[in-house]
Structures are given as C-alpha cells and as structure tokens.
Amino acid sequence: MEILELDPTDADARRRWHEVREGSVRADRPHALTTTLGAFEATATAASTYVARTWLQAVDGSEVVGVAELELPLTENLDVAWCEVGVLPGRRRRGVGRALWDAVVERSRAAGRTRVGGEVSVDVDVAGAGHAFATAMGAVERHREDHLLARLPVPATPIAPDYEVVTWRGRCPDEHRGAYLAMRNQMNADVPTGELDLETTVLDDERLAASERGLMKAYDVRVAAARRRSDGTFGGYSLLFVPHGEDYGWQDDTLVMPEHRGHRLGAALKSANYAGLPDHVGVVHTWTAPDNTAMHRTNTALGFRVVEHMYEMEASIASDGPG
Ligand SMILES: CC(C)(COP(=O)(O)OP(=O)(O)OC[C@H]1O[C@@H](n2cnc3c(N)ncnc32)[C@H](O)[C@@H]1OP(=O)(O)O)[C@@H](O)C(=O)NCCC(=O)NCCS
C-alpha cells in the first residue's frame, strides 16, 4: 500500500477518489452530508487564491482504499492545516488511516503549519470510528456542534411587521453588496468556535465574488435577508445551498445583527428560504452549537432534530508535539 497524490487533472482518478470518500463516510453515517461529485469537481479543477488543496489516496495494487484531503489556508491562519481522512469499511484497522494522517502531517509541517484541525461527525445511533481515530492521532476536541435535519415543509414563520424579506439567488445584487458584506463579516466575527483559536476571515468584495463564483458551479445558492421598512437597514440574512441535481439543501450562516435581535428574524429568514425551494427538495441540514440556545430553539420550532454530533478536533504537530 502506498500513499499517492491525486492528479487533479485526471477526471477518472477524481471520480474514483470521490467514490472512496463517499463510501468511507457513508459506512457509519447514514445522515452524513457529503460533498457531491459536482462540488468536488468544482473545487478540484479550479485553483484558489485563498486555500491550497492536496488530495491524497492510499492505493493497494490498483485499488484506492482510503483518501485524505488537506487544505492549507493562504491568507489567514497560516499556522493551521485542515484535513479529512476516510478509509473504506472493509479496509479499516490495518493502519491505512494512520498512513494517510502521517502524509498529511508531513506536508503540513513542510508548509510551516503547527496544528491540524478537522471535523469529526458521529451519528447519534450508529457507532463511528472517527472520534477514536482522531484521538489516537493526538487530536483533542475544541468545539462541538449538533447536526440537525428537518423534513420539508416546515411550519411557516412570518417576518415581523417592521421588516420585509429580500431574496436573491447566486450572486448578491450590486445594490445589496455593501450591507451583505457587513453582515457576512459580522457573522465571521460572531460565530461561536469554542476553544478553536482562529483568526477571523475578513471578506472583501473580491473574495466574496470569488466565493460566489465557486459555489454557483455546484450549488443553487439562496439568500434571504431582512430589511427594516422604516430605514432600509439590513438586519440579518440566511444562506442556503442546494447541490445541483440533489433533493436536499444545507443551511450555511444565519445571522441577525445585534440591534435587530428579538424579532424572530432568524426563523423567518430560514422559513422564507425553505418556502422558495422547488418541490423536489425535501430535506434541509443545519449545524448549531448546543449552547447556542436561541438558534437551537429556532431550529427545534422548525422541526429540526439532532442526527449527529460534530466535533472540531485539533492536533498539535509542532516538532516537539505529538503526532
Ligand atoms: C476513522 C478512519 C479514517 C480510521 O481508518 P483506519 O484505517 O481504520 O485507521 P487505522 O487502522 O490507521 O487506525 C489508527 C488508530 O486509530 C484508532 N481507531 C481507529 N478506528 C477505531 C475504532 N473503530 N475504535 C477505536 N479506535 C479506533 C486506533 O487507535 C487505531 O490504532 P490500532 O488499530 O493500532 O489500535 C475510518 O474509520 C473512517 O474512514 N471512518 C469514517 C470517516 C471518519 O470519521 N474520518 C475521521 C474524520 S477526519
């Protein structure tokens, strides 16, 4: 068995890499949100100014039995690497995961990184290996979120009378970009990350535009924002992605700006987004920190239920550290 880098220009190899990731993740996570082939293709075939990515594969003969993705942020958090490791169920407990991890650590150190972070999700009913594996690799838990699912339709939550809902799909229209950027940056500064010590990503118009272009290749991107009628001020937004060709959506940010809190705008914006979805979209995924009481209440009222626990884990790879 050897660990090789994926040649991202090889379409066949990309498809095989993606299939092994899918097979590894699905094995013990029936409710997992996995990256679609379309989303993987969009990322793997376009260079990014903000993240350097490497895809590794454990190859036994001509068979790919495990995969890892390594992401190196290039503009902030230059001490951090992000990784995901997956091994096919029939090939586990033979050191494949560890070999992929070692390759990730070697590359991360070579790029000057001193810690590797990753998300580990565990089904609430099915035992999974991810947490034990990450712990064995020297990682510790830094933050936890619940992964929740709702079946559509959900009960409608009308917007508070002082506000109106403004929606768009894909690129944010020019007239709203300033307000949208301010809210996105407020979200990045406010989002609870537990004990994860990270620099905040700051979006400018160019970085937002790059993100929109990338996402639109793989997703129907839907935004619902709340605008106060009296002065036209934006008070919050909710961002939802529907992968092209799929029957589910996933909820990204939902933010209500501090001075606009207390009007149930979060629930109204989520519900406005869901109401606008085509009929074939029947499920929505979301993530919330269990101690984020306001958002947990909003989600429960909309019919979301917890299906997985997601742990943000981090290992020190400084030369004198473990790993
Ligand atoms: C987690 C995963 C990658 C492990 O792959 P693997 O090839 O079985 O890992 P290894 O054989 O190298 O295991 C290394 C160590 O991890 C720990 N470990 C792995 N699986 C474990 C399990 N099911 N229970 C307890 N410990 C486990 C052990 O300490 C193991 O060492 P040992 O076999 O000498 O006891 C694989 O189970 C998987 O793909 N799971 C789904 C995806 C996932 O959760 N990935 C982790 C998030 S990045």
Side-chain angles (χ1 to χ4, degrees), residues 265-282:
L265 293 181
L269 293 172
K270 285 187 163 190
S271 136
N273 258 339
Y274 306 161
L277 288 170
D279 286 345
H280 73 273
V281 179

Side-chain angles (χ1 to χ4, degrees), residues 159-167 224-230 232-236 265 269:
I159 187 100
D162 292 349
Y163 291 83
E164 60 187 335
V165 179
V166 178
T167 60
R227 185 164 60 186
R228 191 157 57 198
R229 293 177 192 275
S230 59
T233 310
F234 277 92
L265 293 181
L269 293 172

Side-chain angles (χ1 to χ4, degrees), residues 2-6 17 54-59 61 100 107:
E2 46 181 349
I3 307 296
L4 302 174
E5 282 189 19
L6 171 74
W17 191 98
T54 309
W55 296 276
L56 298 167
Q57 43 195 358
V59 182
L100 285 160
R107 283 165 176 75

Side-chain angles (χ1 to χ4, degrees), residues 203-245:
L203 286 181
D204 56 14
D205 195 77
E206 194 185 325
R207 190 160 179 179
L208 173 63
S211 149
E212 289 174 326
R213 276 194 305 274
L215 287 164
M216 282 159 60
K217 288 187 200 162
Y219 302 102
D220 174 6
V221 176
R222 291 167 173 261
V223 180
R227 185 164 60 186
R228 191 157 57 198
R229 293 177 192 275
S230 59
D231 59 1
T233 310
F234 277 92
Y237 73 99
S238 185
L239 177 54
L240 181 74
F241 301 122
V242 180
H244 294 319

Side-chain angles (χ1 to χ4, degrees), residues 132 150 161 163 179 188-189 195 229 278 281 283 291:
Y163 291 83
N188 288 341
E195 293 162 27
R229 293 177 192 275
V281 179
V283 170
D291 52 4

